[in-house]
Amino acid sequence: MKKFCAILFSFVLIVVLALPAAAEGESAALSDTAPSLTAPAAYVVNLDTNIVVYDKNSETPLPAASLTKMMTTLLLLESYQDQLDSISLTAPSYIYDLIWEQSTNASTADIRRGETHSLRNLLYAMLLPSGNEAAYIVADYMGGGSIDNFVAMMNDEAAAIGCTGTTFVDPCGLNPNNITTARDAYLILRALTAYDVFATVAGTPTYDMGTNSRYTTPGTYILQNTDKLITNSSYHRDYTKGGKTGSLGEWQNFAGWHSQDGESYISVVLNVPMESDEGGRPALLETGTLMDWVFATYTIAPALDPTQPITEVRVAYSTQADTVMLYPVDNMMTLLPREGGAALTEQVFHVPDQLPAPIRQGDVVGTVTLTIQGEIIGTTDLIAGSDVSRNQLLYTLSRVREFFSSTYCKVVVMLTMLVIGVYLIFTVGRILRIWSKEM
């Protein structure tokens, strides 16, 4: 059975494509066919194999902005995914003072002081228009009235899922001291995609918040998703299923997940300069360009064909066949370049020099390890492709020959010769003594 190894990350694909030296500040995982990004950090991982296909400064800490809300969402779903409609929260007044202190232009979902909304509404409010007040309302509730308590929970959860360059100081991302890395943002989004409700919410273009004292007419309190990759816009991509935007100052972030033809990826771009896109969505523009390249360049494909033999091994003790063909058990589905594919792989066999008959079709007789320029993809068993019977005469002669050439036989012969020698010496000595007495 194949085993995918952590070592088959971006370096494997670097070697496969024989990449040139990367530009300063970029990972060598960028091939000469990859798009040139203005994002100072980016990361793309294939979810089917956990192979990294693009890595640019993925461990560099940068401001998280509203990607921070992904962690707030994760904590909310971990505790209340089954109570989104049964629990409603009232917006406390003090959170608006906290937001105002950090920004006078913060994104909101137009939730006012003292208004009550279900957790489901707050979830949509956090993810679609990136409502900062919604994130603070959730943080106040889950932190027992203390934002600091909730922030501590955020940092603990980040560490628990493997984040190494992430620090949160508020639940929404307004503070520039909320920092993360492209790799850490991937880990947080990957944890979120385990929740079906998150996939539904993040992939929704618009959401009706219902009615209240200010929105008395149904269908007037509508939230718009800032992720234009899923809306009817010039940025739209059919393969994008959802994600989270974020921005502070003159740049934007985006973390999203994408699926096409049964192949899925998570992508992250951080701090893409606004000047990179006249339309004002530079992170979405570069994500679309990057993922177009990924889907055009890589595919999940079999690296082996279990119906075809890949090597043969000599057979002993048989007149029926000199060799037996070996077949792989697994097709070793993995991520491969569309151009070249399985032909770029190398096979390292672990089989004996010869196999003793009898052999039965399907017997596991060895393994093959698949590599790309020495980097391991995985290992699968090799099985015999046919029955091979034993010739008893050849087997018997071989065993006799083996016996006479064995160390055991040599020791027995030596001991026998030693005994005979001692016996002869003793006999001769005895004869000589008899002769001396007679003389």
Side-chain angles (χ1 to χ4, degrees):
M1 196 63 175
K2 64 182 177 182
K3 307 172 188 172
F4 285 102
C5 307
I7 195 171
L8 185 62
F9 275 11
S10 57
F11 181 73
V12 172
L13 297 175
I14 302 167
V15 180
V16 170
L17 296 175
L19 307 182
E24 182 177 354
E26 296 182 350
S27 164
L30 303 182
S31 78
D32 54 0
T33 65
S36 178
L37 300 186
T38 62
Y43 198 58
V44 182
V45 182
N46 177 262
L47 298 181
D48 309 291
T49 61
N50 291 330
I51 295 174
V52 177
V53 298
Y54 192 101
D55 185 337
K56 179 181 180 181
N57 302 326
S58 64
E59 302 288 351
T60 301
L62 293 167
S66 285
L67 295 190
T68 300
K69 295 184 180 74
M70 294 196 303
M71 179 56 73
T72 301
T73 298
L74 180 60
L75 291 174
L76 172 63
L77 294 181
E78 283 181 345
S79 297
Y80 300 108
Q81 63 169 323
D82 297 327
Q83 299 170 274
L84 296 178
D85 297 311
S86 59
I87 295 178
S88 294
L89 307 181
T90 300
S93 295
Y94 82 94
I95 67 169
Y96 294 89
D97 297 329
L98 294 177
I99 294 172
W100 181 264
E101 289 172 2
Q102 298 180 82
S103 175
T104 59
N105 191 34
S107 57
T108 76
D110 200 23
I111 300 173
R112 305 293 176 86
R113 300 171 192 259
E115 289 184 353
T116 299
H117 285 277
S118 67
L119 288 181
R120 186 177 300 277
N121 273 13
L122 294 172
L123 181 59
Y124 276 94
M126 277 196 293
L127 294 178
L128 272 62
S130 202
N132 290 290
E133 79 277 43
Y136 265 106
I137 293 168
V138 170
D140 169 78
Y141 176 70
M142 293 189 66
S146 169
I147 301 300
D148 288 342
N149 285 349
F150 184 78
V151 169
M153 295 166 59
M154 295 172 70
N155 287 311
D156 287 345
E157 182 68 13
I161 64 175
C163 296
T164 57
T166 295
T167 302
F168 296 115
V169 296
D170 71 31
C172 63
L174 283 175
N175 192 314
N177 291 324
N178 289 286
I179 63 171
T180 192
T181 68
R183 175 184 171 274
D184 286 358
Y186 149 74
L187 291 173
I188 297 169
L189 181 53
R190 186 181 69 178
L192 274 171
T193 56
Y195 295 91
D196 291 341
V197 65
F198 172 76
T200 298
V201 173
T204 300
T206 62
Y207 177 71
D208 190 341
M209 290 281 279
T211 60
N212 59 24
S213 59
R214 292 182 299 110
Y215 293 91
T216 58
T217 304
T220 58
Y221 192 1
I222 304 296
L223 302 182
Q224 303 290 328
N225 199 326
T226 58
D227 176 9
K228 300 306 177 183
L229 288 170
I230 66 166
T231 65
N232 185 18
S233 72
S234 61
Y235 300 95
H236 178 79
R237 294 294 192 278
D238 286 340
Y239 53 68
T240 298
K241 305 308 175 184
K244 184 71 191 76
T245 60
S247 63
L248 281 178
E250 297 302 314
W251 49 261
Q252 284 187 343
N253 297 335
F254 182 70
W257 78 97
H258 321 272
S259 183
Q260 181 172 275
D261 298 329
E263 301 169 12
S264 299
Y265 295 85
I266 283 180
S267 69
V268 179
V269 293
L270 296 182
N271 293 199
V272 187
M274 287 290 190
E275 62 190 28
S276 301
D277 177 31
E278 294 180 357
R281 304 283 180 178
L284 302 183
L285 178 65
E286 293 209 339
T287 295
T289 300
L290 178 59
M291 292 310 302
D292 286 347
W293 170 78
V294 168
F295 281 113
T297 304
Y298 301 109
T299 186
I300 301 294
L304 296 173
D305 184 353
T307 67
Q308 297 297 320
I310 59 174
T311 190
E312 60 183 336
V313 65
R314 290 186 299 110
V315 175
Y317 316 138
S318 177
T319 55
Q320 178 184 350
D322 295 326
T323 63
V324 63
M325 306 304 292
L326 304 185
Y327 292 72
V329 170
D330 198 281
N331 63 9
M332 299 285 280
M333 290 291 291
T334 189
L335 190 71
L336 294 171
R338 289 186 183 275
E339 296 297 325
L344 297 172
T345 63
E346 299 176 2
Q347 299 161 357
V348 179
F349 297 103
H350 305 279
V351 295
D353 292 334
Q354 66 176 11
L355 295 173
I359 301 169
R360 301 185 70 85
Q361 184 177 14
D363 283 350
V364 175
V365 297
T367 63
V368 59
T369 297
L370 208 62
T371 67
I372 297 178
Q373 294 294 319
E375 299 301 323
I376 296 175
I377 294 175
T379 299
T380 189
D381 289 334
L382 294 174
I383 59 174
S386 59
D387 293 336
V388 180
S389 61
R390 174 192 290 173
N391 182 294
Q392 193 60 42
L393 177 59
L394 288 180
Y395 177 72
T396 301
L397 291 175
S398 176
R399 294 304 301 271
V400 170
R401 186 165 53 249
E402 288 175 7
F403 171 76
F404 283 109
S405 63
S406 67
T407 302
Y408 172 76
C409 180
K410 292 176 182 178
V411 170
V412 170
V413 170
M414 290 179 62
L415 289 176
T416 301
M417 292 178 64
L418 179 61
V419 170
I420 292 174
V422 171
Y423 175 76
L424 290 174
I425 292 172
F426 176 78
T427 302
V428 170
R430 184 177 179 185
I431 293 173
L432 291 175
R433 286 196 299 271
I434 293 173
W435 286 353
S436 63
K437 289 180 180 179
E438 290 179 351
M439 293 176 63

